[in-house]
Amino acid sequence: MTIRVTIEKRNLTNADTFLHKDTIERENQDSFCIKTQIQGNPNVHIFGVFDGHGQYGAQCSNFVKDRLVEMLSSDPTLLDDPLKAYSSAFLATNFELHNSEIDDTMSGTTAITVLVVGDTLYVANVGDSRAVIAIKDGDRVLAEDLSEDQTPFRKDECERVNLCGARVLSVDQVEGLKDPNVQNWGDEESQGGDPPRLWVPNEMYPGTAFTRSVGDSTAETIGVIAVPEIKVVRLTPNHLFFVVASDGVFEFLPSQTVVNMSAAYTDPRDACAAIAGESYKLWLENENRTDDITIIIVQIKGSSNSGAGDTDSGVDCRPMVMGPVKGSLNMRSISQSETYGPVRSDFSNAQQSCQHSASMNRSAAIIVPSPMQQRALQLDVG
């Protein structure tokens, strides 16, 4: 297997949660995972984005990223019962985070992951990051959500946390600027600026705008759970690619727009850069801050945008990654250790090289686009 990696990292302006407002200098709290050939199987791969929040959000997202993948990789029942293995891994990771040295009282992470097993996708979601798949429909490319955001905007989730004792109110309602008895917040697209949040009765915390997460032990007492919602999708020749991204992308960009932008570029690096740039612009137009942004685009083998000579069925695991992104649009060059660490842990024979194309069966091209600073890493795996 030959894997090509091109790296970019940017700094955006500060992002914050309601309870923990950070400075421009704070670290990015997003993390992502890309692990191919799980358990030595060339047809099993996992891709995930983890959006940390709170004072220790970065530690939480990295902890969950590492442990979740480790648990799935070591679970002997993974291929026999992926749904059970997935759910067990999330709950066990949540338990371990609670009992770790990381203070997750008011910190945690969302998690959106896609497990590829042959020609089947198992999409597990906890929180409000999102996975979307592109489907060819005649001359059109349509977006189909692979996950559903878990927020109080959803009636079922709102009712569930209410039964667990949560007060569900927007910030304006908590501060007395709006009637707290009006439990109609519209939809997420039109009311995203002051969303409904979860509060402990008679208190002003934790104020989470999601109903599921990993960590967040205080919010767990009012119904915020780590149980994933899992969707199973059997791939067809009409599936072109899928996108896994944090809510920094989807806060202002609908799924169809993200798919349209991805499909409009021949080079997925350009697509990633365009999506991140548009997300950044829309954040600044609508808020006085921006959120962390992480994007993974995975091309599907056998689709119309696959390379020549791709004849086998299934996924041609070519994830194109941009992220994590935060801070200003100023770019900086980054060291090999801080960027390649998560990738090199999966592949021992990493060697730096010039750019090479990889067009082998079940090959992977992991690309983090950079218009200004690029490095290529060629990883040859037997």
Side-chain angles (χ1 to χ4, degrees):
M1 177 181 291
T2 302
I3 296 176
R4 176 171 161 240
V5 185
T6 308
I7 303 299
E8 174 191 30
K9 206 165 188 177
R10 298 180 183 180
N11 291 323
L12 302 179
T13 57
N14 63 305
D16 65 327
T17 63
F18 177 74
L19 292 174
H20 184 74
K21 184 163 289 188
D22 300 305
T23 66
I24 292 177
E25 302 302 322
R26 79 155 179 84
E27 62 184 322
N28 191 300
Q29 294 181 305
D30 281 3
S31 63
F32 67 90
C33 72
I34 296 170
K35 184 172 178 63
T36 61
Q37 299 190 32
I38 290 179
Q39 298 184 359
N41 191 319
N43 301 317
V44 183
H45 323 283
I46 189 168
F47 311 95
V49 170
F50 306 85
D51 183 357
H53 50 263
Q55 183 174 2
Y56 304 106
Q59 293 95 315
C60 289
S61 69
N62 279 286
F63 180 94
V64 173
K65 170 200 68 176
D66 292 338
R67 289 300 294 137
L68 186 67
V69 175
E70 288 170 0
M71 288 184 184
L72 287 171
S73 299
S74 61
D75 190 335
T77 71
L78 176 63
L79 301 183
D80 296 327
D81 194 345
L83 296 178
K84 181 179 179 180
Y86 233 157
S87 295
S88 297
F90 268 89
L91 294 176
T93 299
N94 186 57
F95 178 81
E96 286 193 5
L97 179 56
H98 287 339
N99 291 279
S100 71
E101 295 181 354
I102 301 171
D103 181 1
D104 72 346
T105 306
M106 304 287 278
S107 299
T109 185
T110 65
I112 177 70
T113 59
V114 179
L115 175 68
V116 182
V117 181
D119 62 354
T120 303
L121 305 183
Y122 298 87
V123 185
N125 181 45
V126 171
D128 55 2
S129 294
R130 193 180 302 174
V132 182
I133 197 165
I135 305 174
K136 184 174 177 59
D137 181 26
D139 295 332
R140 302 180 300 170
V141 178
L142 303 180
E144 178 182 305
D145 286 338
L146 296 175
S147 61
E148 188 174 0
D149 298 354
Q150 296 151 351
T151 73
F153 282 111
R154 276 177 51 178
K155 183 179 179 180
D156 59 338
E157 286 292 282
C158 186
E159 290 177 349
R160 183 181 60 77
V161 296
N162 273 325
L163 290 173
C164 294
R167 289 191 304 155
V168 181
L169 301 168
S170 68
V171 172
D172 281 351
Q173 288 177 312
V174 169
E175 294 180 345
L177 301 177
K178 291 184 179 180
D179 186 353
N181 295 315
V182 177
Q183 297 285 291
N184 183 6
W185 299 279
D187 58 65
E188 195 162 357
E189 282 71 27
S190 62
Q191 298 297 325
D194 186 23
R197 297 175 181 271
L198 276 57
W199 312 90
V200 170
N202 303 315
E203 300 291 348
M204 292 284 289
Y205 64 85
T208 63
F210 44 80
T211 56
R212 303 193 190 203
S213 71
V214 184
D216 292 296
S217 58
T218 297
E220 195 173 90
T221 65
I222 53 172
V224 176
I225 57 177
V227 178
E229 292 182 315
I230 303 176
K231 183 171 183 176
V232 182
V233 176
R234 180 64 61 87
L235 295 173
T236 72
N238 291 327
H239 288 121
L240 305 179
F241 57 86
F242 61 83
V243 179
V244 186
S246 61
D247 68 334
V249 170
F250 292 109
E251 181 72 19
F252 299 110
L253 287 178
S255 297
Q256 185 63 57
T257 301
V258 171
V259 164
N260 290 346
M261 295 180 71
S262 301
Y265 291 89
T266 302
D267 190 334
R269 292 171 295 184
D270 295 333
C272 284
I275 292 168
E278 184 66 11
S279 299
Y280 174 82
K281 179 174 74 74
L282 290 173
W283 269 99
L284 294 184
E285 288 177 359
N286 290 276
E287 304 277 351
N288 60 0
R289 64 182 182 94
T290 64
D291 199 359
D292 299 336
I293 296 171
T294 303
I295 312 167
I296 301 175
I297 301 176
V298 182
Q299 292 180 333
I300 298 173
K301 189 173 187 178
S303 66
S304 60
N305 61 350
S306 296
D310 290 337
T311 57
D312 293 345
S313 62
V315 174
D316 184 10
C317 289
R318 300 184 187 181
M320 294 46 133
V321 183
M322 177 174 189
V325 179
K326 77 173 288 289
S328 67
L329 280 177
N330 295 327
M331 297 186 184
R332 65 183 181 89
S333 102
I334 48 181
S335 69
Q336 179 172 323
S337 61
E338 72 177 311
T339 300
Y340 298 151
V343 179
R344 292 187 67 182
S345 64
D346 297 335
F347 307 100
S348 59
N349 298 324
Q351 293 183 347
Q352 195 166 356
S353 71
C354 299
Q355 294 185 2
H356 295 284
S357 61
S359 58
M360 298 175 62
N361 287 340
R362 305 201 180 278
S363 65
I366 306 172
I367 301 173
V368 183
S370 172
M372 296 173 59
Q373 297 286 346
Q374 291 189 353
R375 300 184 184 190
L377 180 68
Q378 180 114 344
L379 307 179
D380 293 315
V381 181

